[in-house]
Amino acid sequence: MTQDIRQRLDNHPAPNRKFETALNQGKVTATDLTVEKVGVSTRQIDYRFNEAKSHEAASDVAENLVRRVDYLLEPLAIIEQDPSESKIQIRSQKPSTDGATRRYYEVNVDGQGVSIERYHTAGKSRENDDINLTRESFERLCRDLDEAAAPHPRK
């Protein structure tokens, strides 16, 4: 799987193009992906499950992601769950700060998949920010999304 992702990154066309790759449990799409020698930049990473999941299974995916994805700029934590709509929201535990500007990841998990975005806020306004990762971290994130989506026996 890693070889396939790496090869797709190597062959990715011009900057700011959509990136898609099918994995075992679903499909990863990165919006406006720019690939450079050592890193990638994107506005959103979206992972769609091959098969819809119940709220319980989506919660398992969210918990698994919080445990697995410990290499982003800030640690992640589940902050909200809505069982009626089968939605789970994950955010950076402690946003990065630069003066009055705060930056954080927001991960939304539902029965259809996972979306990852980064935001920056200054005052009350919130704007989309680039997700900047090394190529290796992007590949790892794709693998972790897919592995988190795999069915796991309940304890």
Side-chain angles (χ1 to χ4, degrees), residues 75-86:
L76 301 174
I78 294 173
I79 62 158
E80 189 175 344
Q81 291 198 44
D82 183 352
S84 66
E85 292 189 32
S86 194

Side-chain angles (χ1 to χ4, degrees), residues 80-140:
E80 189 175 344
Q81 291 198 44
D82 183 352
S84 66
E85 292 189 32
S86 194
K87 293 185 179 180
I88 301 100
Q89 189 172 73
I90 301 168
R91 280 200 185 153
S92 300
Q93 276 183 352
K94 184 177 179 192
S96 299
T97 55
D98 182 14
T101 303
R102 295 179 336 141
R103 288 182 168 77
Y104 60 92
Y105 289 97
E106 185 173 286
V107 181
N108 290 294
V109 182
D110 62 25
Q112 303 305 308
V114 179
S115 67
I116 303 171
E117 295 180 282
R118 187 154 176 84
Y119 292 99
H120 68 269
T121 62
K124 293 185 180 187
S125 68
R126 172 174 117 150
E127 293 184 33
N128 207 255
D129 205 2
D130 286 335
I131 298 171
N132 296 300
L133 300 167
T134 64
R135 288 172 63 130
E136 290 81 11
S137 293
F138 180 77
E139 292 169 22
R140 183 176 175 190

Side-chain angles (χ1 to χ4, degrees), residues 29-32 42-46 115-117 128-129 131:
T29 304
T31 308
D32 297 332
T42 185
R43 294 301 251 171
Q44 179 183 33
I45 299 169
D46 191 55
S115 67
I116 303 171
E117 295 180 282
N128 207 255
D129 205 2
I131 298 171

